[in-house]
Amino acid sequence: MTYRTGGDLLVAVLKELGIDTVFGIVSVHNLPLVEAVDRELRFVPVRHEATAVSAADGYGRARGGLGCALTSTGTGAGNAAGSLIEALAAGTSVLHVTGQIESRYLGCGRGFIHETKDQLGMLRAVSSYAATVPDTESAGSLLREAAAAALTAPGGPASLEWPIDLQYAAQQDDTDGAPSARVPVPDPGELAAARELLAAARRPLIWAGGGATRARQALHDLLTETGAGLITSNSGRGTVPEDHPHVIGNFATTPAVRALLGDADVLVSVGTHFRSNETADYTLSLPGAHLQIDIDAAALGRVHPATHCLHGDAAQVLPELTTAAVPAEPGWSARVTAVRDEVRAAQRDAVGPQAAICDALAAALPPGAVVARDVTIPSSTWGNRLLPMHDPRGNVFPRGGGIGQGLGMGIGAALARPEEPTVVIAGDGGLAVHLGELLTLAQERPRLLLLVFNDGGYGVLRNTQDRYSERRSGVDLFTPDFEQLAAACALPYARIAAEADADPVIRDALASHGPVLVEVDLAALGPMKTPFTPPVKIPTA
């Protein structure tokens, strides 16, 4: 096939991949790409390149597939780096296509407009795949290769830089499709030994991470056959709907779950990397008998020793284990359910008046709806744990821990799934990082409820300094009048200032078919019972 420009080729490949919406910022170094996408698909002009990647990330997560972002070269590509780091940390599938200066000037260091030193090296550092389009015959194959790399577990962003002269040129595309990746298969001896160990277990637990989300039915079957308890990382939430009586959830470091782990005789971990903030900086004690399944060989035994390492795709490995599974001993499953109820009750009590907001969202949202959560106290306390998840595609949050990405992710998710409401949970500090995306929200008008928790700054760091220091530094910030800000952006506005406000305000906002900004006035609502501080070590001596 011959295409008039690189933009026409890009559109053809995106249609093959089922992508109908692309996020980005137009530039002299990506103009042919943006014009073709805007003509044939939907181009969403966000206000910052980092948001282009975040929105593509949220779009891909919400659909369970691939998202696409377009950025410019140099500073534009650099602006995207932070969100590429997030996609890399999360293993989410993003195709990032960025411009590049004219091919004849590449590497000359002349100071050509938008030129940067070793842009490809930068992209390699923050992507799972990165390449340069070298000519007009290779672009199609490289686009498909990049998409395949992003979609192949363990995933991550794939970046392709495209010189502007080659974008304008006619393209020759002779590629039939990207080659299929080989799926690893566990060592037969390890698998046989793992089956034997599981068959002897009477008090089993399962820990599901992000790698389990592609094996939902297989995980559910193992849970059913064993009567085990299911602990999840934040990334694994919703793999089995959290109304299941054996789903304990993202509560591994609570006293009740620590005790359960101490009494378990086997742990099956599925696609989890045991991150520091979910294991109390790696101090959490796990059962000595540990069967670890992961498609990433480097993850096996990296954090906790594994009795048997099963290198493979969870969707294929779990059924092999399930055929050897036996029911737990009498009383174990009942104890699991009791622990599940105990940790939820304790969490609900600890968050005080904010529990009313969690309850209102749980009651009003359709099961599986997207809740995009920026890094903020409500997310870290109840949004990432207590608010129920029924589908991993609805569980959208920055796994790398950076603030400010939640709104972009939410915009992408809302445009991916326009038939149902999307919720974004953000703090006033995190929202300020990309406040300009309120303009994107106003322009695109997705069905999105933006809940802004206003405590006048960086609340989690304020709590940390109040606990460990004698003064505050950099945490008390000027906050806008959100009602006036919403009006300036033509966004409907509401306010929650008391527990009784939560249910009617949230129901009304979710009934809207466009964006709504709801401010949660934390000074008026009242504090949590215990101020939240992050799960990191602060030297006090």
Side-chain angles (χ1 to χ4, degrees), residues 480-493:
D481 182 317
F482 282 104
E483 184 173 11
Q484 292 187 36
L485 182 61
C489 296
L491 295 172
Y493 168 88

Side-chain angles (χ1 to χ4, degrees), residues 316-383:
Q316 298 178 12
V317 177
L318 282 171
E320 296 287 339
L321 290 180
T322 301
T323 58
V326 297
E329 69 182 22
W332 181 250
S333 297
R335 181 180 172 190
V336 163
T337 300
V339 167
R340 162 198 159 79
D341 294 342
E342 177 184 343
V343 295
R344 279 167 170 72
Q347 185 75 21
R348 191 180 186 285
D349 180 66
V351 300
Q354 290 191 32
I357 300 171
C358 181
D359 292 346
L361 288 171
L365 279 172
V370 173
V371 181
R373 307 178 304 284
D374 203 10
V375 177
T376 186
I377 289 176
S379 296
S380 298
T381 52
W382 54 266

Side-chain angles (χ1 to χ4, degrees), residues 9 36 70 83 103 156 226 243 260 272 309 317 337 399 445 461:
L9 171 60
L70 299 181
S83 292
S103 54
T226 58
D243 55 0
L260 200 65
T272 185
C309 296
V317 177
T337 300
R399 299 177 195 179
R445 309 208 70 79
L461 293 168

Side-chain angles (χ1 to χ4, degrees), residues 454-518:
N454 182 7
D455 62 1
Y458 299 136
V460 64
L461 293 168
R462 179 190 295 136
N463 290 343
T464 301
Q465 291 180 1
D466 287 350
R467 180 175 178 182
Y468 295 107
S469 176
E470 294 182 356
R471 68 188 303 272
R472 295 178 179 177
S473 302
V475 296
D476 296 318
L477 306 177
F478 176 82
T479 299
D481 182 317
F482 282 104
E483 184 173 11
Q484 292 187 36
L485 182 61
C489 296
L491 295 172
Y493 168 88
R495 176 171 172 263
I496 294 174
E499 292 177 69
D501 298 339
D503 189 71
V505 168
I506 286 172
R507 285 190 181 277
D508 286 350
L510 290 176
S512 171
H513 286 272
V516 180
L517 191 158
V518 172

